[in-house]
Amino acid sequence: NASIKAIDTDMVSPGEGNAGWNQAADDANDSGVPYTREQYAIIDRKAAGEAAVLGAPTGIPDLDSVLLGIQYGVVTVIAGRPSHGKSSLAAAICDEANAQGLGVHVFSIEDQRRAYALRMLSRHTNVPIERLRSGDVRSGGEMSAVMAGADRLYRREHWIIDDEAGLDGTAIALRARKYKRENQTSVVVVDYAQLVNDREPNPVIRVGKIAHQMQALAREEDVALILVSQLNRNCEMRDDKRPLLADLRQAGELEQCSEAVMFVYRDEMYHPDSDDAGTAEILVRKNKNGRTGFARAAFQAECATFRPLSRRDERSGSGGRGGGGNGNGNGRANGNGRSYREPPPERWGGDE
């Protein structure tokens, strides 16, 4: 078989860069060889010291090290309890992906386009959303930042914020396909699953139907599809309130249809004096083709956005307080030398 021979030759003798890949690999579009070539290119970049991100970058290096980016052709779920930042995380990932030249199509079912744009402006200027909304810009420096941020966002290409109300799963898929070519869409976000319109009265069946429709859209259009979801209240009744897969609200099928599931957890929402105030834990509870894991990121509540932890926060193991570790001897260092508080072992890993 010519295709198999091409794989054998290419894997044994890759040559310099991509030179070892022969034309047979390029021509065997239905054999899987192009994906083998893609994998070799990733290995090549990793050997050169570059980040090994296979999908859309999240902008949070620790999260990318677990997920290797938001993968194309599959559904990635971002879930959390209200006000923990699930929509903010999705928006931050979109911003990073678009900054890297990827087309983004956001179905903002919860927020109007104006509110979404305001969140982006706050992220780019570090001026709190509340003050931007009221026009309370307090200095010439802030005004310059707002003007520069607005101009930067205005010049962005290939970004659609679709806030039309009442869209069902079929309409979302049709609109995503319609604008994919002209928008060069690589990332689609649906925020959030439980608000997608459908006549099905049973919420479990309704969310399951939407999950299958988004799975088909991601696969057929080869886009990284982020589906934001609510959680039920079960986690609120446990001592350790970090979410588990079983907490996905009305969403058994959502877990089944997803490649990866991550939860956003902010300890300060339950413990105002938490040593981890100003940060969020991003818990990757499912990763079908990789490892599960944990990433901590800075959360700017006043700007409703996520960022990588600053160097000072990395040294202290905390968020905005810089508290010198977690204060209880429970800290440890991850692969980047960062101190952090790890979720208790009985709540970590999968939910089996």
Side-chain angles (χ1 to χ4, degrees), residues 107-126:
F107 291 91
S108 183
I109 303 171
E110 183 176 26
D111 293 328
Q112 291 183 330
R113 186 181 308 174
R114 182 179 301 172
Y116 197 97
L118 196 63
R119 179 186 297 169
M120 286 294 99
L121 184 59
S122 180
R123 171 178 167 82
H124 279 257
T125 61
N126 282 321

Side-chain angles (χ1 to χ4, degrees), residues 338-351:
R338 176 175 301 164
S339 173
Y340 65 86
R341 181 182 306 204
E342 188 174 31
E346 66 272 18
R347 296 298 186 191
W348 189 232
D351 291 348

